[in-house]
Amino acid sequence: MTDRPHLVVIGAGPAGLAATLAAAARGIRVTLIDSAAEAGGQFYRRPAAAFGARRPRALHHQWRTWERLARGLAQGVEAGTVEHLAGHHVWLVERGASGVAGAAGGAPSGAFTVHALTGPLQEAPVTIRGDAVLIATGGYEKVLPFPGWTLPGVVTAGGAQAMLKGSLVVPGRTAVVAGTGPLLLPVATGLAAAGVEIAALVESADPRTLARKTGALAAQPGKVAEGAQYAIQLLRRRVRLLSRHTVVEAHGDERLTAVTVAALDTDGRVRAGSERRIACDTLAVGHGMLPHTDLAESLGCRIDGLVVHADAEQRTDVPGVWAAGETTGIGGSALSLAEGHIAGRSIAARLNGREPDPREWAPAAKSRTGAREFFAAIETVYAPPAHWTDQVTDDTVVCRCEEVTGGQIREAVDELGAGDVRTVKLLTRAGMGWCQGRICEPAVAGLAGCEQSAARRLLARPVPLGVLARAGETDD
């Protein structure tokens, strides 16, 4: 079995799982690496068996798809064609100096070295070598600050969903779900079904605008039906929908007790006098997703704006490196599954020494095209308010790691001449903390009046110095 070409898949969400199954079925030895204890990613997150959940499928609307993927993974592991390394946090992928991985004529053994951390404190180093790498690291939530956003009781929309899916717990008894984007609907519906009173669903966009995207909607009837089902459930529970509204402040001393929301005008500014206060102990807020691109950046892959560039086969411009799923652009599970399947087939063909035939994955390619068009339409509708920075006061903490405020960032821009995120970072330390700007960077860019761009971080996550020292000794 070890003489087979070896693919390392990083990320066990929909894209990574689809690619793993497609490649393994075509003679490729696959190592699937993921930081979570179980495969599935955020989308297929499930409670641990110890919780004894009787109907975990109640938290999902694509349970049969998950069962198919899980069954395929289990069969691959049992057959020895797939190795699943759970609880492994990848921090760097290195390219070997010899040969070009992924060429039509095959690939040199061990062309890539994947460095990961495991153990209770993520202190134990692990290295995996492969002939090709697929980056399927998914995305993370975009966080935009406002006064009071650091209060206990304020969580991201995805965070609230993860608590419910993974731990069967809710963040509070009375919640406001706010922000923008299609994620708000399943979050509000899931919390309501779990017994949380949804005081309001606050959407800064006008969902009626989406109805004008007739072409994109007609191509994805399943998505339209899914959204309609969520809306019907919320109507039955008499949840208030406040469209073209936004949260301007969260209130409370030691924890959240209420939020103030306000209406937005057509330019995305708060309408004076429209403020209203809503009592709640939880605010689940989200403003969309951003791709995880750290590993691709460190490998030198081309980044278009904030997404990893991939061709029709899901290949990056670095030979031997493929990318699929949210890392190439936010687009939901169906798009991730299609891209993962295409990547797996492409990798299998090239590592087996033949030119891929796109006709082999024509249905997946069609699904990919439709999903991309649909989410391109979604993106134009569900965007944060154009003037969201107006609500960030000078006292509002923007970078939680370094406790940098909105006033300090504005001072760096207005008085010290900073015109980009990097300069603001050097002048204020915003983005120099544990998360290295992954959380605050969109806010810093917005306050600085510049576009957010790829950060080109060397390491994808914090690494103990001892691990780096040992890695250096090994290289010598």
Side-chain angles (χ1 to χ4, degrees):
M1 195 71 70
T2 57
D3 60 343
R4 291 186 177 186
H6 186 197
L7 165 66
V8 180
V9 176
I10 306 172
L17 286 169
T20 295
L21 301 190
R26 290 159 181 81
I28 303 300
R29 181 165 55 99
V30 182
T31 297
L32 176 63
I33 308 176
D34 195 73
S35 59
E38 301 284 346
Q42 167 70 357
F43 188 78
Y44 294 121
R45 185 187 293 268
R46 305 163 315 287
F51 284 99
R54 290 176 294 179
R55 295 183 64 249
R57 61 177 54 83
L59 300 173
H60 296 268
H61 63 277
Q62 293 186 9
W63 188 255
R64 289 184 179 178
T65 302
W66 159 247
E67 288 182 321
R68 176 180 59 81
L69 294 169
R71 186 166 54 251
L73 176 61
Q75 291 170 349
V77 171
E78 184 178 359
T81 58
V82 177
E83 181 183 19
H84 178 207
L85 300 180
H88 283 60
H89 303 257
V90 177
W91 56 272
L92 181 66
V93 179
E94 289 185 291
R95 283 189 288 171
S98 60
V100 176
S109 178
F112 294 91
T113 301
V114 178
H115 296 274
L117 298 171
T118 188
L121 301 177
Q122 299 171 27
E123 77 288 356
V126 177
T127 58
I128 304 97
R129 288 179 172 82
D131 304 315
V133 171
L134 170 67
I135 300 173
T137 46
Y140 62 102
E141 285 189 271
K142 179 190 291 186
V143 176
L144 300 179
F146 50 87
W149 74 285
T150 58
L151 278 170
V154 180
V155 297
T156 64
Q161 187 181 61
M163 291 172 65
L164 183 58
K165 283 185 174 182
S167 303
L168 301 179
V169 297
V170 294
R173 296 182 177 180
T174 305
V176 169
V177 178
T180 190
L183 179 61
L184 301 187
L185 285 173
V187 169
T189 303
L191 291 176
V196 178
E197 179 189 351
I198 307 299
L201 175 58
V202 183
E203 168 60 69
S204 61
D206 185 352
R208 292 174 298 182
T209 307
L210 187 61
R212 301 170 193 159
K213 310 290 183 178
T214 54
L217 294 179
Q220 296 289 311
K223 283 292 181 185
V224 175
E226 179 186 327
Q229 284 296 320
Y230 288 134
I232 290 170
Q233 292 181 55
L234 293 174
L235 284 172
R236 287 174 177 170
R237 297 178 184 276
R238 298 183 180 180
V239 173
R240 281 189 296 172
L241 170 61
L242 300 177
S243 60
R244 296 210 57 78
H245 280 67
T246 190
V247 172
V248 296
E249 187 173 0
H251 308 282
D253 295 324
E254 296 184 357
R255 68 162 291 114
L256 181 72
T257 57
V259 298
T260 293
V261 303
L264 297 168
D265 63 20
T266 54
D267 294 326
R269 289 188 170 88
V270 168
R271 283 169 37 200
S274 66
E275 297 85 355
R276 68 175 80 178
R277 191 174 176 125
I278 302 174
C280 61
D281 59 17
T282 300
L283 170 62
V285 60
H287 290 94
M289 302 283 291
L290 295 170
H292 270 300
T293 61
D294 292 346
L295 293 174
E297 291 166 11
S298 64
L299 278 165
C301 299
R302 170 181 162 188
I303 309 294
D304 292 338
L306 296 175
V307 305
V308 179
H309 172 80
D311 66 9
E313 294 181 34
Q314 300 300 138
R315 293 181 299 175
T316 72
D317 61 338
V318 174
V321 180
W322 279 252
E326 308 280 40
T327 191
T328 65
I330 305 302
S333 63
L335 177 57
S336 294
L337 289 168
E339 290 188 352
H341 183 78
I342 292 168
R345 280 178 170 264
S346 168
I347 293 166
R350 293 192 175 276
L351 290 187
N352 282 323
R354 69 178 182 85
E355 191 72 22
D357 182 355
R359 291 175 297 182
E360 296 177 358
W361 59 72
K366 182 178 180 181
S367 176
R368 178 179 62 184
T369 299
R372 284 180 175 174
E373 291 175 352
F374 178 77
F375 277 91
I378 287 285
E379 189 176 8
T380 62
V381 173
Y382 294 105
H387 298 278
W388 64 266
T389 56
D390 293 350
Q391 310 313 312
V392 181
T393 66
D394 286 347
D395 294 330
T396 302
V397 172
V398 174
C399 172
R400 299 181 73 164
C401 296
E402 296 294 323
E403 298 184 347
V404 180
T405 64
Q408 291 173 293
I409 293 172
R410 290 187 174 108
E411 180 182 4
V413 174
D414 298 337
E415 298 183 21
L416 301 179
D420 57 80
V421 172
R422 177 176 173 80
T423 305
V424 172
K425 179 179 181 178
L426 293 172
L427 292 173
T428 67
R429 294 191 59 83
M432 288 191 179
W434 180 263
C435 81
Q436 285 293 288
R438 291 170 179 84
I439 301 300
C440 67
E441 199 167 90
V444 173
L447 289 169
C450 63
E451 291 291 328
Q452 186 183 359
S453 59
R456 295 288 178 187
R457 302 178 181 93
L458 176 61
L459 306 180
R461 57 174 296 105
V463 183
L465 288 175
V467 171
L468 290 176
R470 290 195 293 275
E473 293 171 0
T474 301
D475 293 340
D476 294 339

